Amino acid sequence: MAGRGRGSAFAAAVAAAVALGAVALAGAQRQPLPSYIHVCKRNDPNINNCVKKSVEQIRPYLVRGIPEFHVPSIEPLELKEIIATGGPTLRITATNVRAYGCSDFTINRMSVDMRRDKFDFGIDLPHLYIVARYQVHGRILLIPIHGSGPMRGNFTNCKGDVSLQGKRIIRQGKEYMTFTNMDVRFHVGKGSIHLDNLFGGEKPLGEAVNNAINANFGAFVNELKPSIERALSKAMLEISNRVVHSYPQDVIFPEH
């Protein structure tokens, strides 16, 4: 579940960066852009720095959310459900996830290639605190495990790399951008979790399993990483497309 909750919070920051990066490239709209949007042009020779600056400038607004751009509040980030599997023997479901610390994200790398409609960037999250409800059944680190109840986790030095690919489509006679693929890769520096009520509340056995997970935290996260990365990629792709599907290409990515 650590991987679960941690992934959830990381998803929030990635979503914000992608969606706001797209918004930052908008040069005009049917109505004036909000004053907090730092505008970037498609042909700006320093577009990478411009988009990064745009996201940094809009950070304070992420705390309460930006409904006009379909960006929810990320402090805390709330997610209904995320499911992760570690091979055929493990299934973990997290519900009512709340992640704190997402607004502290920073973009450490930004690469925008408008000719190829490709966006690549790196993101850092110094600290995340997660609370959620979990259900788990299967084996973790070869240990049989089952239970459901509250979970909490602390994670530090989270890093991720994101690659977003777009293409142009014609809709009602106008050209739009649509994102067709997103690839997310993440790394967690250190972390700890606690799953309450394992094995129906058998405390000695539950504590033993929690201790085993935390003693082998890196291996535990790595076991869940592939399914978490796929889930993040799918969720972030949907959020990014909500932004770019709202306006024609010449509005979102103006030439001048």
Side-chain angles (χ1 to χ4, degrees):
M1 187 73 324
R4 165 66 317 99
R6 207 287 296 74
S8 305
F10 182 75
V14 173
V18 172
L20 294 175
V23 170
L25 288 167
Q29 285 190 28
R30 298 172 182 85
Q31 297 178 354
L33 280 171
S35 59
Y36 54 80
I37 297 294
H38 177 76
V39 174
C40 300
K41 306 295 185 179
R42 187 191 307 189
N43 294 325
D44 186 342
N46 297 311
I47 192 170
N48 295 335
N49 289 334
C50 185
V51 173
K52 182 178 178 181
K53 180 180 177 181
S54 298
V55 177
E56 294 292 336
Q57 182 170 308
I58 208 169
R59 178 193 313 281
Y61 297 87
L62 295 177
V63 176
R64 63 172 181 262
I66 310 175
E68 59 265 41
F69 295 126
H70 313 289
V71 177
S73 169
I74 63 171
E75 206 59 70
L77 169 71
E78 297 183 0
L79 298 175
K80 292 182 179 179
E81 179 181 81
I82 300 181
I83 298 173
T85 58
T89 62
L90 175 65
R91 179 183 175 90
I92 301 178
T93 302
T95 57
N96 300 323
V97 179
R98 285 177 291 159
Y100 299 85
C102 299
S103 61
D104 291 332
F105 78 88
T106 57
I107 294 177
N108 59 50
R109 175 182 59 83
M110 175 68 70
S111 176
V112 179
D113 187 339
M114 291 305 303
R115 290 177 299 178
R116 298 169 56 208
D117 298 326
K118 188 172 177 60
F119 302 78
D120 294 289
F121 61 93
I123 193 168
D124 291 334
L125 285 169
H127 177 251
L128 296 168
Y129 174 66
I130 313 297
V131 293
R133 299 285 300 182
Y134 79 92
Q135 287 186 332
V136 60
H137 182 76
R139 287 178 175 269
I140 294 180
L141 305 172
L142 303 180
I143 303 171
I145 182 173
H146 64 84
S148 63
M151 66 131 323
R152 60 188 182 275
N154 277 286
F155 311 96
T156 59
N157 195 25
C158 301
K159 298 179 180 294
D161 291 294
V162 182
S163 180
L164 184 62
Q165 181 63 58
K167 73 173 185 179
R168 318 292 175 88
I169 61 173
I170 302 299
R171 196 171 74 224
Q172 297 179 338
K174 293 187 177 182
E175 186 178 66
Y176 287 78
M177 170 77 77
T178 188
F179 292 122
T180 57
N181 184 68
M182 175 180 282
D183 185 53
V184 176
R185 295 288 181 266
F186 69 79
H187 168 77
V188 180
K190 296 182 180 180
S192 65
I193 66 165
H194 193 275
L195 307 179
D196 291 339
N197 201 44
L198 285 170
F199 305 101
E202 294 186 22
K203 290 188 176 180
L205 186 54
E207 288 302 315
V209 171
N210 275 306
N211 289 338
I213 290 173
N214 287 312
N216 299 275
F217 180 76
F220 174 64
V221 171
N222 286 336
E223 192 169 351
L224 298 176
K225 273 182 67 174
S227 61
I228 294 175
E229 288 172 340
R230 287 193 297 269
L232 295 188
S233 298
K234 180 180 179 180
M236 298 310 97
L237 192 64
E238 292 176 359
I239 291 175
S240 301
N241 274 325
R242 289 177 197 165
V243 175
V244 295
H245 287 177
S246 299
Y247 306 100
Q249 178 76 356
D250 60 353
V251 172
I252 290 190
F253 305 114
E255 292 283 356
H256 304 288

